[in-house]
Amino acid sequence: MAKKGSQNTAKGKDGAEKQPGRLKQIGMVAKVVHQQSPRSIPLAALVAVVILAAFVGIGVWTGSWILWPLTGLPIAFLVGFIIFTRSAQRVQYKLLDGRLGAGMAILDNMRGNWVVEPGVAANKQMDVVHRVVGRPGVILVGEGDPNRLRPLIAAEKKRVARVAYDTPIYDMKVGNGEDQVPISKLQRALVKLPRNLDKAGTAELNYRLKALPPKMQMPKGPLPKGGKLPKGLRGQMGG
């Protein structure tokens, strides 16, 4: 009975699983970062302490004992937190690199006016193509063997062109080989693309793409653990 009660406390009134609070998420991230990069958290703390000490020193030198330390405290915390989040991002890329679904995990956490449609094309070998729509136009992102992805992307590009008209259609392959985009640079590569559409044009393009009949479903099979981000690491991505 006690076990059953403890399980119920993790669920909301509608039976859905409760999401961990902000502090708990940060704690989860810190645990993962410490396991993968033990020096990152001490470095962030050291930088914060040095910055605060500098402001305290200025306060002693100028005689403003309260003003300078109070000014330095939020600055020190902010700089330390930025270093911590950068470390968390590097750990995130490390955990995802080379795993099935890594590209989709990165795309799914992009901020801004991006619409991601996972698995618009795939084959039995688990090579998969995702479709991203944003201000640049349409971007087809492939994960898997580059040679097998080539016909998949070409077929999907031809299908999208039926409704995209003169909208640019880009393609990228995730990986560390030649003519591939590493996981750590995927979001940056999308953001660097030229802005060919305004918000209204992007919305209209999405509307036309939804009219396309579904080509296929994602291949059935288990997604490896690395395919999804740890809860605390989700939402850390910019773009």
Side-chain angles (χ1 to χ4, degrees), residues 85-125:
T85 50
R86 293 280 177 87
S87 300
Q89 198 173 65
R90 286 194 296 271
V91 168
Q92 177 185 9
Y93 294 141
K94 181 180 177 182
L95 291 173
L96 292 174
D97 193 22
R99 294 181 178 269
L100 177 66
M104 184 58 217
I106 297 296
L107 296 172
D108 200 38
N109 281 271
M110 289 189 67
R111 298 175 182 173
N113 190 28
W114 301 94
V115 177
V116 182
E117 186 70 27
V120 293
N123 57 25
K124 294 181 180 179
Q125 290 77 29

Side-chain angles (χ1 to χ4, degrees), residues 51-72:
I51 292 175
L52 181 59
F55 274 86
V56 171
I58 295 174
V60 172
W61 182 55
T62 60
S64 301
W65 287 83
I66 298 177
L67 178 62
W68 282 101
L70 287 179
T71 303

Side-chain angles (χ1 to χ4, degrees), residues 5-169:
S6 62
Q7 290 176 342
N8 290 338
T9 56
K11 296 183 178 181
K13 293 181 180 179
D14 57 354
E17 184 180 352
K18 280 187 176 181
Q19 294 295 325
R22 187 65 177 173
L23 290 178
K24 190 173 182 179
Q25 287 184 13
I26 294 175
M28 293 166 64
V29 174
K31 185 177 180 180
V32 174
V33 172
H34 180 69
Q35 290 174 347
Q36 299 293 326
S37 180
R39 296 183 179 180
S40 296
I41 295 178
L43 176 62
L46 177 62
V47 171
V49 169
V50 168
I51 292 175
L52 181 59
F55 274 86
V56 171
I58 295 174
V60 172
W61 182 55
T62 60
S64 301
W65 287 83
I66 298 177
L67 178 62
W68 282 101
L70 287 179
T71 303
L73 184 60
I75 295 176
F77 176 82
L78 179 61
V79 173
F81 189 73
I82 289 173
I83 294 174
F84 170 72
T85 50
R86 293 280 177 87
S87 300
Q89 198 173 65
R90 286 194 296 271
V91 168
Q92 177 185 9
Y93 294 141
K94 181 180 177 182
L95 291 173
L96 292 174
D97 193 22
R99 294 181 178 269
L100 177 66
M104 184 58 217
I106 297 296
L107 296 172
D108 200 38
N109 281 271
M110 289 189 67
R111 298 175 182 173
N113 190 28
W114 301 94
V115 177
V116 182
E117 186 70 27
V120 293
N123 57 25
K124 294 181 180 179
Q125 290 77 29
M126 301 296 285
D127 305 302
V128 62
V129 177
H130 313 296
R131 187 177 68 221
V132 183
V133 178
R135 300 288 288 274
V138 180
I139 308 100
L140 301 177
V141 180
E143 296 189 74
D145 181 84
N147 294 323
R148 294 195 300 260
L149 281 172
R150 195 172 291 114
L152 279 178
I153 292 176
E156 182 60 23
K157 188 176 289 188
K158 185 177 180 181
R159 193 172 78 102
V160 169
R162 297 174 188 170
V163 296
Y165 306 134
D166 58 347
T167 301
I169 304 175

